[in-house]
Amino acid sequence: KNQVEQSPQSLIILEGKNCTLQCNYTVSPFSNLRWYKQDTGRGPVSLTIMTFSENTKSNGRYTATLDADTKQSSLHITASQLSDSASYICVVSAKKGTGANNLFFGTGTRLTVIP
Amino acid sequence: NAGVMQNPRHLVRRRGQEARLRCSPMKGHSHVYWYRQLPEEGLKFMVYLQKENIIDESGMPKERFSAEFPKEGPSILRIQQVVRGDSAAYFCASSPSSGGTGELFFGEGSRLTVL
């Protein structure tokens, strides 16, 4: 069964600290993995995409990793800011099937950054 | 280039009434997805449409819910005879091609409250 599990479910950190969010998946055949950021009351916005051959990709203070062998990804946030408070959603794409939705969503990690 | 536009942003209905949620995808996008999000929960896939076609409605409740994406005009998610359990945020996303390799662009959501 294609599933995406994220941990922790929620996280509270002090401003300026680093944190790492985890995403484990069983989606097969794998196409790519995206991390989205969803601010409260807003729609999700893509942060980064990881394909099979990529191990690490950075977008400012966000660094995503992918281990396709163990089917794990992480999102590391450096020097957190109050504006990083949001839900972070891991979305894994299976290789396109015939006419079917092939996107699998994690339930997200709710990050709260406190002053 | 305007983003994905959803309206209304907030909708209040009494039990038994109908709710219509509209989604205009980004210009040039022909693929539309609808997701439901309950408070403190993740996004749940409902339906995937292309122009004039429902591609995958496996996440849609069998009764009372319907979706369309006509040749002209926005995609519509219709909920008939609403019940309290339908209260949720409904997000629409669009992509220029099937979402397996491309990024999904989300609207800001429509928040339905059923009294």
Side-chain angles (χ1 to χ4, degrees):
Chain A
K1 186 178 178 182
N2 291 315
Q3 286 187 313
V4 178
E5 305 264 348
Q6 290 188 244
S7 62
Q9 192 171 20
S10 61
L11 183 61
I12 301 174
I13 62 172
L14 289 173
E15 186 179 10
K17 296 296 186 184
N18 304 336
C19 67
T20 300
L21 315 180
Q22 299 289 344
C23 174
N24 298 339
Y25 62 92
T26 58
V27 177
S28 181
F30 175 83
S31 177
N32 61 64
L33 182 151
R34 283 187 186 271
W35 284 93
Y36 285 83
K37 179 186 179 189
Q38 184 179 20
D39 291 313
T40 300
R42 309 293 298 273
V45 175
S46 178
L47 288 174
T48 185
I49 179 173
M50 305 294 290
T51 57
F52 187 85
S53 59
E54 295 175 309
N55 296 120
T56 304
K57 184 178 285 186
S58 292
N59 176 6
R61 294 180 297 102
Y62 299 104
T63 299
T65 67
L66 176 67
D67 185 334
D69 291 330
T70 61
K71 299 187 176 181
Q72 296 179 326
S73 176
S74 66
L75 181 69
H76 186 74
I77 304 174
T78 305
S80 60
Q81 299 176 359
L82 297 179
S83 59
D84 293 332
S85 295
S87 286
Y88 292 84
I89 304 167
C90 176
V91 181
V92 182
S93 300
K95 281 189 164 56
K96 190 167 64 174
T98 306
N101 171 51
N102 58 331
L103 299 172
F104 299 90
F105 281 64
T107 54
T109 292
R110 176 72 209 172
L111 174 66
T112 303
V113 181
I114 57 177
Chain B
N1 187 13
V4 177
M5 304 299 292
Q6 289 189 247
N7 67 83
R9 290 293 310 277
H10 300 274
L11 182 62
V12 179
R13 285 288 179 265
R14 296 190 180 280
R15 281 178 295 170
Q17 292 184 318
E18 178 179 288
R20 283 192 181 221
L21 310 178
R22 287 175 290 278
C23 170
S24 296
M26 286 184 70
K27 188 176 180 180
H29 288 193
S30 59
H31 297 250
V32 166
Y33 300 75
W34 284 94
Y35 294 87
R36 177 162 62 176
Q37 189 173 39
L38 295 171
E40 307 301 320
E41 293 191 12
L43 290 158
K44 293 285 195 281
F45 168 75
M46 297 182 74
V47 62
Y48 162 36
L49 310 103
Q50 294 178 25
K51 282 284 187 181
E52 300 185 276
N53 285 306
I54 296 175
I55 306 301
D56 183 351
E57 56 181 348
S58 59
M60 195 97 98
K62 293 286 186 285
E63 297 178 349
R64 301 188 298 108
F65 285 71
S66 62
E68 62 177 8
F69 189 15
K71 186 177 180 181
E72 301 290 339
S75 175
I76 306 281
L77 179 67
R78 183 182 178 205
I79 311 172
Q80 295 178 288
Q81 300 175 333
V82 295
V83 300
R84 290 224 173 99
D86 297 333
S87 295
Y90 292 84
F91 287 93
C92 168
S94 73
S95 71
S97 60
S98 61
T101 54
E103 178 180 351
L104 286 183
F105 294 83
F106 284 85
E108 298 291 12
S110 291
R111 276 145 193 86
L112 172 65
T113 300
V114 180
L115 302 178

